[in-house]
Every structure is written in C-alpha cells, then in structure tokens.
C-alpha cells in the first residue's frame, strides 16, 4: 500500500505526525532513542539492526549505516550479516546479535534454554533488555514503513 501524501508534505512527518499525532511523535522519539542512548557496541548494534532490515525488507533501513562519531561498519558488513551463521567476520557477540534479531523477528517462541545460555554468557541482562528494545523498535517501525510504502522516502527525523 502507498499512502496518499499531500503535495509538499514530507511523507514521514505527515504519516507519523499529522495522521496520528497522539502516537507518531512518541514512536519517533523511541526510534531516535535507540540510536542516541544505546550502550551496545557498533558492530553488534548494526548486526541486529541490519538483520531486522533484511527480514523487513525496508529499503531505507537496508541502505542506512549507523554513524558513531564518524565510525561506521566496514563495506561488506551487510553481506556478513546475511551469512551470520558462517561468516568469519563476526565475534561471538556480533553473531549472537544477528541470531537474536532473526529469531526475535521470525521465531520468538523458539528462543530456548540453549540459546539463552549462549546469550547470557556474552551479554548482561541489561544489555539483553536494551538489545530487545532496539530490535522491537526496528521490527515495528521498519515494517510499518515498508508496509505503507514509506521506506523509499524515509529519513531519520532529527530532534526539534
């Protein structure tokens, strides 16, 4: 579906703000918060984010690379995320972040004791909660933008 956006309106601001003023701005704040307040390392953050983007098919999210003080993941990182099971480009935490993102998005009922044993060996409970909130945000908002046809014109909103 493609939303009917009035001429001269920014599609994201119109859909997220004007169409649903009681929900959209709060959603935008959560979307920004996962970037502004994360304590996760860039590689594990991007591995999870890109895996969700690959699953959602969000065009903007697939093209986006998080920038932390001028640092971004290397070229080819997205390909490594696709091959998270076998790539030699990832350490254990990065691989687990990609795995968790995939399982969270596609098989959350299959998160078993074996998985949680591996996860808690590498991540603290606080980090797991943070990563879960990030993944939930990307899953919801990237999918929303893709389903409504906003992903081809999406830009990350800036703070007012």
């Amino acid at each position: 579906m493609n939303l009917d956006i009035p001429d001269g309106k920014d599609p994201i601001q119109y859909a997220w703000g004007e169409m649903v003023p009681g929900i959209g701005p709060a959603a935008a704040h959560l979307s920004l918060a996962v970037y502004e307040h994360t304590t996760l390392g860039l590689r594990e953050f991007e591995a999870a984010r890109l895996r969700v983007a690959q699953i959602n098919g969000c065009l903007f999210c697939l093209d986006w690379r998080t920038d932390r003080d001028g640092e971004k993941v290397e070229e080819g990182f997205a390909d490594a995320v696709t091959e998270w099971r076998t790539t030699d480009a990832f350490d254990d935490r990065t691989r687990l972040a990609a795995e968790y993102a995939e399982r969270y998005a596609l098989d959350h009922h299959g998160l078993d004791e074996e998985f949680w044993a591996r996860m808690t060996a590498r991540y603290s409970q606080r980090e797991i909660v943070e990563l879960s909130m990030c993944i939930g945000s990307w899953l919801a908002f990237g999918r929303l933008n893709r389903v409504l046809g906003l992903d081809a014109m999406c830009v990350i909103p800036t703070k007012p």
Side-chain angles (χ1 to χ4, degrees):
M1 172 180 172
N2 288 316
L3 295 177
D4 294 326
I5 308 296
D7 288 340
K9 296 280 186 173
D10 175 89
I12 296 300
Q13 290 183 10
Y14 179 74
W16 284 54
E18 292 183 49
M19 292 183 85
V20 289
I23 301 171
H29 285 296
L30 173 58
S31 180
L32 288 172
V34 302
Y35 293 91
E36 292 177 1
H37 302 292
T38 186
T39 63
L40 297 167
L42 179 60
R43 292 178 64 76
E44 59 229 24
F45 183 87
E46 278 293 272
R49 190 196 64 73
L50 276 165
R51 190 65 196 120
V52 172
Q54 292 166 348
I55 291 164
N56 280 343
C58 177
L59 299 174
F60 177 80
C61 301
L62 287 166
D63 193 44
W64 173 262
R65 295 299 174 271
T66 301
D67 185 320
R68 294 228 187 116
D69 300 321
E71 182 182 345
K72 293 183 180 183
V73 293
E74 69 275 5
E75 287 294 321
F77 190 84
D79 293 333
V81 171
T82 301
E83 303 296 325
W84 65 263
R85 288 172 188 82
T86 58
T87 186
D88 60 1
F90 289 173
D91 63 13
D92 290 342
R93 282 177 59 98
T94 305
R95 186 180 317 281
L96 274 167
E99 178 183 358
Y100 185 41
E102 180 175 301
R103 293 178 75 172
Y104 186 107
L106 299 175
D107 186 25
H108 62 283
H109 292 287
L111 294 169
D112 56 15
E113 289 182 30
E114 183 274 330
F115 171 79
W116 287 118
R118 289 186 293 115
M119 193 70 174
T120 58
R122 297 283 188 259
Y123 285 89
S124 69
Q125 288 186 357
R126 188 199 56 73
E127 289 174 316
I128 291 169
V129 169
E130 181 178 334
L131 185 55
S132 300
M133 287 185 176
C134 290
I135 292 168
S137 169
W138 300 319
L139 183 62
F141 302 137
R143 193 162 292 181
L144 177 148
N145 287 338
R146 178 68 180 148
V147 167
L148 298 181
L150 298 169
D151 60 329
M153 45 195 138
C154 182
V155 291
I156 301 282
T158 56
K159 284 172 96 173

